[in-house]
Amino acid sequence: MNKKIAIIICAAAAAVLIAFLLGRKSAAPAAQSSPSASAQTSETPAGYPSPSAASPEAARALTNAELQSFAKQLNSADNYGFLLSEYSDVRDANLGQIFYVGAGITPAADAQSIANAYNAALGEDAPETDCTVLKAAQIDAFLKEKTGYSLKQMHSKLDWEYDQANDAYLFFHGDTNQLPSLSAAGKALGGDKYQLTCTFDGNFYDPDAGAVSGCIVTFTCKDGKFKFLSNSFVR
């Protein structure tokens, strides 16, 4: 009798154990998170639009008022030089054209004395022409604003006289290279980026390209500050 009771008790205990183990196995998948939901959360955080929902700003034609404003600004002393050479990389822009008459940079307080000293050193060989004097620091600051690069990072060279004692560049020249005027047509490319086709009032002569009637210039403009990207001639 006692033997039968022991067998029954063992069988009942085994049944309870098996039921417990089966219950744990069936409950385990319910505790796991959905892989697809986890992947979706990591790719698109809550509160943010999915990347596919974003679309670039479309290009648009510029208004007449915008075109007139850009034409006037592009022909200002600090900008027009970037229209007088061809480049797909602004580091290849002709620095001689950009700084020909100073690029609108206010001369340093000692600019005239530097020019006088240089002329005195040349004696009778001193040229009887205008002289533009720019400090290296002035050139660097200007180029970083207009191109994003320093003078040393530019591919083209500023072929001027260099005064090492004053860390200054001197250029003797006669007339100006500034354009009389220009008109423009073009478009906004999105963001702060623009592309304008400029027509010069009269031809500009380039040693390599010959007579040039205009250009297609690409730049960014934010808060009235221009940064040039590329320029090609219209012949």
Side-chain angles (χ1 to χ4, degrees), residues 11-118:
V16 170
L17 178 61
I18 292 170
F20 174 74
L21 293 174
L22 290 174
R24 287 189 63 185
K25 185 175 180 181
S26 62
Q32 295 177 358
S33 60
S34 168
S36 60
S38 175
Q40 183 178 2
T41 301
S42 63
E43 292 175 5
T44 310
Y48 288 84
S50 74
S52 60
S55 58
E57 185 179 342
R60 65 173 180 84
L62 295 172
T63 65
N64 287 334
E66 287 175 317
L67 290 171
Q68 290 175 13
S69 176
F70 275 136
K72 182 177 180 180
Q73 292 178 83
L74 285 171
N75 204 31
S76 63
D78 58 330
N79 290 324
Y80 78 86
F82 288 95
L83 309 182
L84 302 183
S85 63
E86 289 191 290
Y87 49 89
S88 56
D89 181 336
V90 72
R91 289 174 293 179
D92 295 320
N94 187 318
L95 296 179
Q97 295 287 14
I98 294 170
F99 292 107
Y100 194 93
V101 291
I105 300 172
T106 302
D110 57 348
Q112 190 58 55
S113 62
I114 291 173
N116 292 341
Y118 200 86

Side-chain angles (χ1 to χ4, degrees), residues 154-224:
M154 298 296 285
H155 295 162
S156 60
K157 302 300 179 184
L158 186 59
D159 191 21
W160 288 13
E161 302 293 336
Y162 178 65
D163 181 350
Q164 186 172 5
N166 294 289
D167 196 18
Y169 290 84
L170 299 87
F171 178 52
F172 296 91
H173 57 89
D175 53 5
T176 179
N177 68 336
Q178 187 162 6
L179 302 166
S181 64
L182 59 87
S183 57
K187 57 190 175 182
L189 300 178
D192 301 317
K193 191 174 180 180
Y194 303 87
Q195 185 178 80
L196 268 68
T197 299
C198 301
T199 301
F200 302 155
D201 182 11
N203 285 340
F204 160 75
Y205 183 81
D206 179 80
D208 297 320
V212 175
S213 62
C215 66
I216 302 172
V217 60
T218 307
F219 58 91
T220 63
C221 184
K222 185 175 183 179
D223 299 327

